[in-house]
Amino acid sequence: MINTVVLMGRLTYDPELRTTPNGISVIQFQVACDRNFQRSGEERKADFIDVTAWRQTAEFVSRYFHKGSMIAVEGSIQTDNYTDNNGNKRKSFQVVANNVSFCGSKAESGANTNPAYSQPAPSYASADSSDFEEIVDDDDDLPF
């Protein structure tokens, strides 16, 4: 069976790290994901998806993400059935995160701003053909 979800969106509020009585870190947050389709003349709509992360993933989210941060989440959907205060049967859905990743800019994420890490990546666009040697193989045999 396959139950895999991949989301990318923005956090709708600051997540708050909590600890279970057994000392396990857990965090809950909500991701707003824009819908692809937009009717002419209407505002873009979004889906608001509840996410829970555990252990090191929860601590990672707590340390590096805040309201408005762009986040990528990979996980699975879990459902719960319950009865509300009026006796109506309800079902809730949430994503349990296995992995989370940065997907916004470094400045936007509030990640480490140490100047040692902010050096630009080297540029390789200036390479010319003298850096490469042409391989000539007159043999018609395949190498495998």
Side-chain angles (χ1 to χ4, degrees), residues 60-134:
F60 178 73
V61 170
S62 174
R63 177 173 286 156
Y64 295 108
F65 295 91
H66 52 83
K67 180 179 179 178
S69 295
M70 186 71 95
I71 190 170
V73 177
E74 180 271 322
S76 60
I77 294 176
Q78 284 190 358
T79 60
D80 290 313
N81 295 312
Y82 66 96
T83 304
D84 67 12
N85 294 339
N86 298 327
N88 299 318
K89 293 185 182 219
R90 303 282 183 170
K91 183 179 276 196
S92 67
F93 296 85
Q94 71 175 342
V95 172
V96 177
N98 295 329
N99 296 303
V100 298
S101 301
F102 297 110
C103 57
S105 69
K106 189 173 188 176
E108 180 182 78
S109 69
N112 190 346
T113 56
N114 183 342
Y117 295 107
S118 62
Q119 297 175 3
S123 174
Y124 298 107
S126 63
D128 60 19
S129 62
S130 66
D131 292 342
F132 301 96
E133 178 181 326
E134 184 176 342

Side-chain angles (χ1 to χ4, degrees), residues 37-54:
F37 179 75
Q38 178 180 356
R39 291 186 181 190
S40 178
E42 288 186 5
E43 279 189 41
R44 179 165 291 235
K45 293 184 180 179
D47 292 302
F48 299 90
I49 301 165
D50 295 323
V51 180
T52 301
W54 295 88

Side-chain angles (χ1 to χ4, degrees), residues 16-31:
E16 185 176 325
L17 185 67
R18 294 181 296 149
T19 306
T20 67
N22 294 335
I24 299 172
S25 298
V26 61
I27 200 164
Q28 293 180 318
F29 55 96
Q30 190 175 68
V31 178

